[in-house]
């Protein structure tokens, strides 16, 4: 009996071996400890985080290129426009595809909250990439091993598809909300509220239309018609109605604001404010400068009061880095903060981990985009009304309202309570607005410059590279250059393609470069939307 049992066990073992040998290589290479599926709600959270984390965080290199602040310590970076490859969002787009697949796998209908938001995410991330480089793989992209060398679509076709995705997303959200499907699981921006997401989709579409302003004559893009249609049909295209509708990232003690108490000793004295941002505010006697920045120690030592707008001084982004470093670190003696330049507010950014919310798509920008479109004649309406709404919204975000305002600055450049001093200023919006630099000059080039300038100020430390993109498109406000910005005193106009494209998709990459830039992947060439 024992021998028989042994024979039976042996035969079973042989059978198991033969069965395992019959498995395909693909089956054998699967890691049983690694998940291959995930709830759509979980994938959504990763995509949403990438919208903030991978497009330009506060006090990042992108914000130096926006000329909001400058770095004065060359060990950690510089202020040069010498960038190379663009940030690739194709990995995030793969997750968008996965999110949609997981929603369907769980039994969702063809049109569902994840598919509707998926179209918006496609539009958002393709805009981020195409605005930087031009043509990209799109129609043959994101197909896995089915197409490993996708062709490049023209930038015009990319933006036609971006606008199509946004229209479809808006229509799908309308249909879902009408059926009572008003929420999506996993959303940490709006707690799942699809009504707020729909407003963001349409506000973002206004950004895209404004981004394409140089192509307003392209019949197929129909910039003017699309813009007017949105403003004339608020029921079909609901828009942000106030700051409570912003798509914004909120920080906490785990996801910390980039400038925070942990980093004070590391970067507080190595990051001074930039002249462009500071001067635009001080010239307009705008209290936002007193909220975001400190008066320069050298100016206070010279006898100026912290309430004096001329006490706030920024360094030109084009200044030689060694000169900037010397001036930023200059000893002003006991009782005064070091340096000839203003630094970021110690009380606002270095006493808390939560800092301030960061807009990804914000109400002030939308107001200025509408004002710009009306200024350009794309729709009827009062550009000044939207211009004023944008200014007020941005100022109120910083606590700037009519009345007596209390400001805080560091006397010595420290962040302890004993270092802080307070002062007050009186603010009246009507008085502020009556200034020639601020009061809207009408639907003229001068009026357009005012709109773009105020939009720039509202972009401080938010919305990624939008401040730069608007300058690149309009020339407003004029960015500062010099030896410190490198690139032969030029502001770069585009990024290079990811280096991996040269080895994994070489033929299509070369074709795209030849078609657009005469064969040279040059950061100083213009992408199609700027020509």
């Amino acid at each position: 009996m024992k021998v028989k049992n042994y024979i039976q066990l042996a035969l079973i073992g042989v059978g198991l071996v033969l069965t395992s040998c019959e498995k395909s290589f693909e089956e054998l290479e699967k890691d049983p400890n690694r998940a291959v599926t995930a709830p759509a709600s979980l994938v959504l959270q990763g995509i949403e985080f990438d919208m903030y984390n991978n497009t330009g965080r506060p006090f990042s290199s992108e914000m130096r290129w926006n000329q909001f602040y400058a770095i004065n310590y060359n060990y950690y970076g510089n202020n040069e426009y010498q960038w190379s490859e663009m940030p690739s969002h194709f990995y995030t787009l793969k997750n968008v595809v996965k999110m949609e697949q997981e929603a369907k796998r769980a039994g969702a209908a063809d049109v569902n909250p994840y598919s509707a938001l998926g179209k918006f995410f496609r539009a958002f991330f393709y805009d981020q990439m195409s605005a930087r480089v031009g043509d990209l793989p799109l129609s043959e992209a994101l197909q896995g091993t089915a197409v490993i060398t996708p062709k490049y679509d023209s930038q015009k076709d990319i933006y036609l598809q971006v606008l199509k995705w946004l229209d479809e997303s808006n229509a799908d959200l309308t249909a879902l909300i009408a059926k009572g499907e008003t929420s999506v699981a996993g959303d940490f921006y709006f707690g799942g509220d699809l009504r707020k997401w729909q407003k963001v989709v349409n506000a973002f579409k206004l950004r895209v239309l404004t981004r394409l302003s140089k192509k307003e004559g392209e019949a197929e893009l129909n910039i003017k018609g699309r813009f007017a249609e949105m403003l004339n049909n608020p029921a079909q295209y609901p828009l942000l109605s106030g700051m409570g509708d912003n798509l914004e990232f909120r920080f906490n003690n785990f996801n910390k604001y980039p400038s925070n108490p942990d980093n004070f000793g590391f970067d507080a004295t190595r990051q001074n404010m930039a002249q462009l941002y500071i001067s635009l505010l001080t010239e307009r006697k705008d209290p936002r400068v007193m909220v975001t920045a400190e008066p320069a120690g050298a100016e206070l030592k010279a006898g100026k009061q912290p309430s004096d707008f001329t006490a706030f001084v920024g360094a030109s982004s084009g200044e030689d880095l060694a000169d900037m470093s010397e001036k930023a670190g200059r000893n002003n003696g006991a009782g005064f903060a070091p340096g000839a330049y203003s630094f970021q507010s110690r009380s606002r950014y270095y006493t808390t981990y939560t800092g301030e919310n960061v807009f990804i798509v914000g109400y002030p920008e939308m107001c200025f985009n509408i004002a710009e479109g009306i200024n350009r004649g794309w729709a009827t309406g009062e550009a000044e009304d939207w211009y004023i709404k944008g200014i007020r919204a941005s100022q109120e975000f910083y606590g700037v309202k009519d009345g007596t305002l209390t400001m805080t600055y560091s006397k010595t450049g420290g962040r302890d309570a004993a270092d802080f001093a307070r002062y007050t200023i009186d603010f009246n919006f009507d008085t502020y607005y009556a200034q020639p630099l601020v009061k809207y000059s009408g639907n003229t080039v001068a009026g357009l410059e005012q709109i773009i300038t105020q939009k720039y100020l509202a972009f401080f430390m938010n919305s990624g590279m939008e401040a730069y993109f608007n300058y690149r498109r309009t020339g407003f406000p004029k960015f500062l250059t010099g030896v410190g910005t490198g690139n032969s005193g030029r502001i770069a106009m585009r990024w290079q393609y990811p280096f991996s494209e040269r080895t994994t998709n070489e033929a299509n990459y070369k074709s795209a470069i030849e078609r657009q830039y005469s064969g040279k992947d040059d950061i100083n060439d213009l992408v199609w939307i700027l020509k």
Side-chain angles (χ1 to χ4, degrees), residues 345-377:
S345 170
R346 271 53 177 147
S347 61
R348 186 173 182 86
Y349 299 113
Y350 283 112
T351 61
T352 175
Y353 290 108
T354 55
E356 62 195 28
N357 297 345
V358 171
F359 311 149
I360 299 170
V361 178
Y363 176 73
E365 178 199 357
M366 186 198 76
C367 292
F368 293 125
N369 285 340
I370 293 174
E372 179 177 344
I374 296 172
N375 175 285
R376 293 181 179 277

Side-chain angles (χ1 to χ4, degrees), residues 427-440:
F427 178 75
N428 178 270
F429 182 83
D430 292 339
T431 302
Y432 168 83
Y433 189 72
Q435 299 176 97
L437 283 175
V438 180
K439 186 171 177 57
Y440 187 59

Side-chain angles (χ1 to χ4, degrees), residues 44 47 51 96 99 117-125 197:
L44 171 63
I47 296 165
M51 294 184 75
V96 173
M99 176 187 71
L117 291 184
K119 292 171 181 175
F120 167 71
F121 293 139
R122 281 175 163 81
F124 180 87
F125 287 112
W197 272 108

Side-chain angles (χ1 to χ4, degrees), residues 54-55 86-87 89 123-133 159 204 207 211 463-466 469:
N54 296 337
T55 57
M86 74 168 193
H89 298 296
F124 180 87
F125 287 112
Y126 261 104
D127 169 63
Q128 286 289 317
M129 293 190 294
S130 185
R132 285 169 166 80
V133 296
Y159 274 100
F204 180 75
R207 174 192 288 181
R211 171 120 53 241
S463 303
M465 289 290 285
E466 288 308 309
F469 287 144

Side-chain angles (χ1 to χ4, degrees), residues 381-501:
E382 293 297 329
E384 184 174 25
D385 290 348
W386 288 102
Y387 171 68
I388 291 173
K389 287 179 183 178
I391 297 172
R392 281 189 177 276
S394 178
Q395 288 183 334
E396 290 176 7
F397 173 74
Y398 293 104
V400 175
K401 301 178 182 179
D402 284 357
T404 300
L405 307 176
T406 300
M407 302 298 184
T408 302
Y409 76 101
S410 174
K411 295 175 292 184
T412 63
R415 63 178 177 87
D416 294 333
D419 294 313
F420 292 139
R422 290 174 175 78
Y423 62 96
T424 61
I425 65 165
D426 293 324
F427 178 75
N428 178 270
F429 182 83
D430 292 339
T431 302
Y432 168 83
Y433 189 72
Q435 299 176 97
L437 283 175
V438 180
K439 186 171 177 57
Y440 187 59
S441 297
N443 295 342
T444 63
V445 174
L448 179 63
E449 181 175 0
Q450 290 174 311
I451 293 168
I452 304 300
T453 298
Q454 288 287 349
K455 191 195 303 187
Y456 172 86
L457 295 173
F459 277 139
F460 180 71
M461 295 302 157
N462 68 72
S463 303
M465 289 290 285
E466 288 308 309
Y468 160 83
F469 287 144
N470 276 264
Y471 156 76
R472 187 182 68 166
R473 177 176 60 87
T474 66
F476 304 134
K478 184 174 175 57
F479 278 26
L480 303 180
T481 59
V483 294
T485 50
N487 195 29
S488 300
R490 295 171 293 180
I491 303 295
M493 290 288 104
R494 60 177 294 272
W495 282 252
Q496 293 177 320
Y497 285 99
F499 298 146
S500 59
E501 283 294 279

Side-chain angles (χ1 to χ4, degrees), residues 126-127 130 134-138 153-163 165:
Y126 261 104
D127 169 63
S130 185
D135 298 359
L136 286 168
L138 187 151
D153 294 78
S154 71
Q155 190 170 45
K156 177 181 177 180
D157 286 341
I158 288 170
Y159 274 100
L160 283 169
Q161 181 61 60
V162 164
L163 291 168
W165 277 327

